[in-house]
Amino acid sequence: QGTFVSRVQLEDGAVRVEREVDGGLETLRLRLPAVLTTDLRLNEPRYATLPNIMKAKKKPLEVIPAAELGVSGGSPRLKVLHVQEPPARAGGEKVENVATLVEKLRHSGCI
């Protein structure tokens, strides 16, 4: 994997990336497949304008079946066993001064 990549070059079966580290620039050669995260300097973002958004809504969307791409559409490999909400937070309490706060924290076992 390559993180905070600011320059990418594809080579034969590999990718050469450049990233900024504390001491300067570091160049890495990674075998493919590789996971890369990029730095803001890699590309300038293009922001969609309202006319282009409206044009995109009218364009047809091509749906390609997974089998046509060579991806198996079998059963999912992950199974959700249980989902639950986190416990509700207890209400807060105001104290008169720091000494009272420290005493309450000691009594509750926090410090």
Side-chain angles (χ1 to χ4, degrees), residues 10 16 31 59 62 77 98:
L10 286 175
R16 184 177 301 270
R31 290 182 304 197
K59 291 194 176 195
E62 182 184 356
R77 298 187 321 186
V98 175

Side-chain angles (χ1 to χ4, degrees), residues 25-41:
L25 295 176
E26 179 181 42
T27 303
L28 301 171
R29 185 175 186 274
L30 306 169
R31 290 182 304 197
L32 293 176
V35 176
L36 304 176
T37 63
T38 61
D39 191 352
L40 291 176
R41 290 171 292 185

Side-chain angles (χ1 to χ4, degrees), residues 1-2 8 10 15 24 27 30 37 40 58 60-61 70 74 91 93 98 111:
Q1 75 180 21
V8 178
L10 286 175
V15 63
T27 303
L30 306 169
T37 63
L40 291 176
K58 295 178 184 176
L61 182 62
E93 183 180 339
V98 175
I111 58 171

Side-chain angles (χ1 to χ4, degrees), residues 8-89:
V8 178
Q9 289 179 315
L10 286 175
E11 296 179 352
D12 188 34
V15 63
R16 184 177 301 270
V17 297
E18 190 173 278
R19 64 189 213 117
E20 188 174 335
V21 293
D22 290 338
L25 295 176
E26 179 181 42
T27 303
L28 301 171
R29 185 175 186 274
L30 306 169
R31 290 182 304 197
L32 293 176
V35 176
L36 304 176
T37 63
T38 61
D39 191 352
L40 291 176
R41 290 171 292 185
L42 183 64
N43 288 318
E44 287 292 322
R46 295 184 303 166
Y47 298 102
T49 60
L50 184 60
N52 287 338
I53 292 172
M54 299 308 289
K55 288 177 191 175
K57 285 184 178 182
K58 295 178 184 176
K59 291 194 176 195
L61 182 62
E62 182 184 356
V63 178
I64 301 172
E68 196 174 306
L69 297 172
V71 178
S72 63
S75 62
R77 298 187 321 186
L78 298 178
K79 182 178 178 184
V80 177
L81 299 177
H82 183 68
V83 177
Q84 75 181 51
E85 292 186 23
R89 290 181 56 178

